[in-house]
Amino acid sequence: MSIRAPSRRQLLRRGAALAAASVVLAAPAIAQARTKLRLGYLHVVAVDGHIWTGLDRGAFDREGIDFELHEFNTGPEVFEAMTRGELDVVSAGGVISNYLALGRGRGFLINDIEVATAQLWVRPTLGVTRLADLRGKRIATTKKTTAHIFLDRALRANSINPSEVEIVNSSMPDAVGAFIAGEVPAVALWVPFNVAVREALPDAVKLVDASAFYPQSAVLGGWAARTDYYAENKGVLSRIIRGWIDANDHMVRNPAAAAEGLQAHYGRSRPADIVEAFKAQKLYSAREWRRLYANGTVAKWLQQVSDFFMTDAGVTNALRATDYFDTQLYLAAVG
């Protein structure tokens, strides 16, 4: 798969961020050395919310970071592009615990906990009104993602072995399209794909979301760098973290304003959809994250998801979270 060139919207947003940053009175007297890097991401609030907020606030610009943005539909696509050398850094969801455990990059920053971003939608007209009805049925989703983890937890919590259903694996747009077309009676998705379902199928029912199985189904989403890029550019990654901190703490302290600001980047979503997406993720302040990095909680949460992915894939020689995620980089940046 070839990566996408920056869209006109992305170029305009970066230009606006540069213009805004040029009038910041508190800007340092000595210009920050600039670095351009290729960033792959999913267009999901839980994944790119920090990116857009940081760009709009000029936070990354003040750190001398210029992103060349490349949007993808799924986390596996993002990591595969990075593995091919087409990206330097990625921001993704729970899939980071899969690819990093296989040695596909090095993690250095966590965005949030995806508490309820994954949802299970069904169509009563196709014979599914409750979880028990899923036995023997086809369920569309994207494997090796947050939605896959959630679906596994939901099935097992209701005494359904995943082998008792047929998981139809495809990209999330295709999975949702199959559900809307009536090809499958159920879909495990992540927001904001629920918007398309709600608009196309008023009779569809959201049966459950991941919050019902928290914290077992909760996963961390965050940033990773290509292994060689990580080894040679830790100073650049530290600057990304500092820009992220500004964006993150604004989102934590001013969620209503942050959600309103993000609306411009999600044309199809209503303001209420952005607010819902905010509530589906758990954010911590930079200082609170510092404690969770330092006491090993971040590594524990990452490992919990890695264990699921590796068990599902039958992999026995995966890396541990303490080997593939650099907690010290964040601790040094946050101070």
Side-chain angles (χ1 to χ4, degrees), residues 166-186:
E166 180 184 348
I167 297 179
V168 181
N169 180 39
S170 63
S171 71
M172 192 53 68
D174 289 343
V176 171
F179 179 70
I180 292 173
E183 297 170 12
V184 294

Side-chain angles (χ1 to χ4, degrees), residues 2-25:
S2 59
I3 58 179
R4 303 174 185 175
S7 68
R8 181 173 180 272
R9 181 187 70 176
Q10 292 165 344
L11 293 172
L12 289 174
R13 298 308 301 185
R14 290 203 294 278
L18 288 170
S22 67
V23 297
V24 176
L25 296 179

Side-chain angles (χ1 to χ4, degrees), residues 240-265:
I240 291 175
I241 293 172
R242 289 196 294 269
W244 177 94
I245 286 172
D246 176 275
N248 178 75
D249 284 2
H250 172 70
M251 294 167 75
V252 170
R253 294 167 183 161
N254 307 286
E260 183 178 356
L262 285 172
Q263 181 63 43
H265 302 283

Side-chain angles (χ1 to χ4, degrees), residues 103-222:
R104 311 280 183 84
R106 189 72 181 266
F108 66 93
L109 180 61
I110 296 301
N111 282 325
D112 50 28
I113 306 173
E114 297 189 39
V115 176
T117 57
Q119 303 177 353
L120 179 63
W121 285 75
V122 300
R123 297 186 65 173
T125 56
L126 296 180
V128 180
T129 59
R130 55 180 184 157
L131 276 159
D133 296 333
L134 290 172
R135 283 191 177 87
K137 298 294 196 303
R138 304 173 78 219
I139 306 172
T141 195
T142 305
K143 283 190 174 183
K144 301 180 181 179
T145 66
T146 299
H148 183 201
I149 300 169
F150 154 66
L151 176 60
D152 185 88
R153 296 284 192 267
L155 293 172
R156 294 181 189 278
N158 286 271
S159 301
I160 301 174
N161 191 295
S163 65
E164 296 181 85
V165 304
E166 180 184 348
I167 297 179
V168 181
N169 180 39
S170 63
S171 71
M172 192 53 68
D174 289 343
V176 171
F179 179 70
I180 292 173
E183 297 170 12
V184 294
V187 61
L189 53 76
W190 59 75
V191 295
F193 284 98
N194 59 319
V195 175
V197 170
R198 188 171 55 223
E199 290 178 349
L201 299 173
D203 62 332
V205 175
K206 185 181 80 169
L207 207 56
V208 67
D209 65 41
S211 65
F213 311 104
Y214 180 79
Q216 291 83 1
S217 63
V219 298
L220 299 180

